[in-house]
Amino acid sequence: MALVVQKYGGTSVANIEKIENVAKRVINTKEAGNKVVVVMSAMAGETDRLINLALRTSEKPNEREYDALISTGEQITVSLLAITLDKMGYKAKSFLGYQVKIVTDQNHKEARILNIDTETITDELKRGTIVIVAGFQGVDIKNNITTLGRGGSDTSAVALAAALQAEVCEIYTDVDGIYTTDPSICPKARKLNKISYDEMLEMASAGAKVLHPRSVELAKKSSVPVHVRSSFNDDGGTLVTKEDKEMEKVVVSGITYDRDQAKVTVVHVPDRPGIAASLFTPLSDQNIIVDMIIQNASIEGYTDLTFTVSRKDIDEVKKIVETVARDVGAETVEYDENISKLSIVGVGMRSYAGVASKMFTALANERINIMMISTSEIKISCVIEAKYTELAVTILHDAFGLEKEG
Ligand code: ADP
Ligand code: ASP
Ligand code: MG
């Protein structure tokens, strides 16, 4: 008897009819002879609504209470699915993060899963129960409710699949797999049959929201195969799996964009040891993730330091950076929230030359200016003006021939 973990995203559980559709899928999987653990997201738009309520109540909501509030969307969907399955004659039980127990660290809003107690779930599965777990939430060692970051129920699902040694973790969403780029902005996007963990991790970290980056990291670490598919049809989706020889032949597998970035430039900073540390240490102390960093060449002992952060962190970043800039004697700090990060990803990049120049040429031909560049072994990212995002994605999709297979 195989164990299957199925995760259903917001659009798949958006109303009672859709939850009935989920129940039917779960029953089919169970009737095919599997043990089933279901991970649910909140109804589409619900987490946004809850966040909005918190922000209307306070400019800076208490983090413990914020997590307690925004995790409630999942409580609704898990119990609705359990009620539906019960009505259909199946034994089902819903569980919240603290009931399972999904233990996380204490970093509210972006907590990381430390451990999952599998006993409750395995006992229920032995009794033939369909187990339904609330995604996106956990509990810290002091019994506070935590949340895993937006889109985090993918991570709940993969972490459960890893802890329970499931055969597969199926991620049901509103697209029928992972595409060469976001199909909602590029009609020529092509569905991939499979993609390596490393490529998917780079795509997810670079903004492809189809999978939460932590979920891919965990899947890779525990070798859990992840199958991304649609909850609205039976088509085979995309398998996220170990790299194979075939994958290396493809130079660029996908293109992603991230509009949630902001650029910060500290202007005219004295060029001396310790300046970068004095800027980035207080940011990391506040768990603010700095993505790209460039330091210009020094002119007469002064330099400019530019970096990008997530736009949601910009208010906190402003407070910290203004103080440091004053302390180190910088001239001024400039902010640009009108940017977008564009990335091309592919394991084949490791063995082919000329990928970066092809990217830069394609952007130059459309007169799109590149403000920042960063590279990893299998990814090249450029920061551009936000208004060119869709155009840039489309021209790069054409330039690298992603419409056609292989
Ligand atoms: P869910 O609510 O099911 O978790 P998400 O909205 O988080 O769904 O993720 C699915 C969305 O991800 C799709 O609707 C699509 O617009 C977007 N997306 C971005 N990049 C890609 C990609 N490369 N392939 C597929 N979908 C992508
Ligand atoms: N409901 C949460 C969110 O909207 C988690 C998720 O959907 O994965 O971010
Ligand atoms: Mg999601």
Side-chain angles (χ1 to χ4, degrees):
M1 208 184 216
L3 198 161
V4 177
V5 174
Q6 300 188 326
K7 177 255 169 177
Y8 291 90
T11 41
S12 308
V13 301
N15 54 42
I16 306 248
E17 290 71 37
K18 290 197 171 138
I19 291 178
E20 274 201 13
N21 174 51
V22 167
K24 285 180 194 148
R25 279 190 175 270
V26 171
I27 290 170
N28 285 343
T29 313
K30 168 109 179 121
E31 291 294 348
N34 301 295
K35 292 178 178 169
V36 193
V37 174
V38 187
V39 175
M40 297 287 270
S41 282
M43 290 179 173
E46 178 66 2
T47 311
D48 287 337
R49 188 184 73 85
L50 295 164
I51 289 175
N52 194 267
L53 278 178
L55 295 178
R56 275 170 50 205
T57 310
S58 160
E59 219 173 86
K60 203 172 182 317
N62 173 288
E63 293 197 329
R64 179 187 187 274
E65 304 312 326
Y66 180 90
D67 273 353
L69 173 68
I70 71 164
S71 61
T72 57
E74 276 72 9
Q75 181 163 3
I76 297 174
T77 50
V78 285
S79 43
L80 280 175
L81 180 64
I83 292 170
T84 310
L85 285 165
D86 177 71
K87 179 188 75 178
M88 291 175 163
Y90 286 81
K91 205 154 62 168
K93 259 190 190 176
S94 72
F95 294 91
L96 298 177
Y98 77 88
Q99 292 175 302
V100 169
K101 270 183 140 180
I102 299 178
V103 181
T104 73
D105 62 19
Q106 295 175 275
N107 186 22
H108 283 292
K109 294 178 170 176
E110 289 287 343
R112 288 166 81 97
I113 297 175
L114 300 175
N115 181 51
I116 297 182
D117 203 342
T118 51
E119 209 180 302
T120 314
I121 298 181
T122 40
D123 281 355
E124 289 295 344
L125 289 172
K126 271 189 215 141
R127 285 187 214 120
T129 313
I130 296 167
V131 173
I132 309 161
V133 182
F136 183 51
Q137 57 176 266
V139 63
D140 71 11
I141 42 161
K142 293 194 173 150
N143 260 337
N144 301 304
I145 293 169
T146 52
T147 62
L148 311 181
R150 296 307 306 271
S153 48
D154 298 330
T155 297
S156 312
V158 174
L160 277 163
L164 295 162
Q165 295 178 320
E167 192 123 315
V168 63
C169 180
E170 297 179 333
I171 305 283
Y172 286 93
T173 181
D174 58 353
V175 276
D176 55 2
I178 292 154
Y179 281 67
T180 46
T181 192
D182 186 350
S184 74
I185 74 157
C186 180
K188 287 183 184 168
R190 176 175 53 85
K191 190 172 96 183
L192 301 163
N193 292 325
K194 54 183 177 176
I195 186 166
S196 69
Y197 290 122
D198 286 329
E199 285 171 315
M200 193 59 234
L201 184 56
E202 292 280 17
M203 281 177 71
S205 315
K209 69 178 177 137
V210 60
L211 284 178
H212 192 238
R214 271 289 285 158
S215 72
V216 190
E217 217 177 288
L218 279 175
K220 182 185 173 191
K221 209 156 84 186
S222 47
S223 299
V224 175
V226 175
H227 188 184
V228 178
R229 50 194 307 200
S230 167
S231 59
F232 304 114
N233 63 44
D234 286 321
D235 296 350
T238 304
L239 198 65
V240 188
T241 180
K242 284 200 180 87
E243 187 178 325
D244 64 33
K245 283 269 167 281
E246 284 303 301
M247 292 172 179
E248 261 179 69
K249 290 187 194 148
V250 183
V251 183
V252 173
S253 307
I255 300 170
T256 59
Y257 62 92
D258 184 354
R259 287 197 181 103
D260 292 326
Q261 297 258 313
K263 183 159 73 75
V264 182
T265 305
V266 189
V267 182
H268 209 63
V269 197
D271 190 12
R272 59 164 195 258
I275 292 287
S278 64
L279 186 63
F280 296 119
T281 308
L283 291 172
S284 76
D285 287 348
Q286 292 304 313
N287 283 311
I288 292 167
I289 294 169
V290 174
D291 184 11
M292 291 161 120
I293 303 175
I294 46 172
Q295 181 174 336
N296 288 345
S298 171
I299 301 171
E300 291 171 4
Y302 287 89
T303 183
D304 290 349
L305 252 170
T306 304
F307 58 94
T308 59
V309 291
S310 173
R311 204 176 298 174
K312 70 172 170 32
D313 292 330
I314 195 69
D315 289 337
E316 211 165 338
V317 169
K318 278 183 184 168
K319 271 186 226 143
I320 295 169
V321 174
E322 301 282 335
T323 312
V324 177
R326 217 175 308 122
D327 291 350
V328 301
E331 194 175 284
T332 179
V333 188
E334 291 168 358
Y335 304 95
D336 187 353
E337 295 183 44
N338 231 340
I339 61 159
S340 169
K341 185 176 75 172
L342 198 65
S343 306
I344 59 173
V345 174
V347 285
M349 250 183 234
R350 288 195 287 243
S351 32
Y352 288 88
V355 184
S357 66
K358 195 169 182 175
M359 178 182 195
F360 303 153
T361 307
L363 294 173
N365 287 344
E366 293 294 328
R367 312 207 67 71
I368 298 173
N369 187 37
I370 301 171
M371 301 179 205
M372 297 173 88
I373 299 169
S374 79
T375 60
S376 78
E377 202 185 11
I378 63 163
K379 179 179 76 179
I380 305 167
S381 303
C382 295
V383 170
I384 60 167
E385 228 184 300
K387 68 177 180 192
Y388 294 122
T389 309
E390 291 177 19
L391 172 67
V393 167
T394 309
I395 59 158
L396 291 179
H397 202 267
D398 285 345
F400 287 99
L402 295 194
E403 202 178 336
K404 289 186 278 329
E405 201 161 343

